[in-house]
């Protein structure tokens, strides 16, 4: 649930991503699925898009906007 809140992705989307081999890295421990926060952040950072308009904002896949300067 925390990953869903952090990324804005529905639990069902996270589940579907795991089944199709897409999405965030995870660890399966018995019937439990665990995501490491550093893996989620690294995954999101690796997909960062910097707009060409040069307004000083970086757009992340999770729809988080952060001022860069």
């Amino acid at each position: 649930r925390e990953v869903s809140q952090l990324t804005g992705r529905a639990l069902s989307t996270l589940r579907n991503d795991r089944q199709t081999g897409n999405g965030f890295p995870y660890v399966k421990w018995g019937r439990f699925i665990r995501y490491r926060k550093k893996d989620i952040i690294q995954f999101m950072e690796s997909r960062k898009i910097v707009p060409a308009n040069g307004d000083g904002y970086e757009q992340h896949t999770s729809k988080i906007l952060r001022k860069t300067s």
Side-chain angles (χ1 to χ4, degrees), residues 3 14 17-18 21-28 33-44 46-47:
V3 173
L14 294 171
D17 285 348
R18 286 194 309 269
N22 299 316
F24 304 114
Y26 65 94
V27 175
K28 185 167 184 174
I33 301 295
R34 297 291 183 250
Y35 295 92
R36 294 188 309 180
K37 191 171 186 174
K38 72 175 196 168
D39 287 340
I40 300 301
I41 293 169
Q42 182 178 20
F43 184 89
M44 291 169 49
S46 73
R47 285 154 179 79

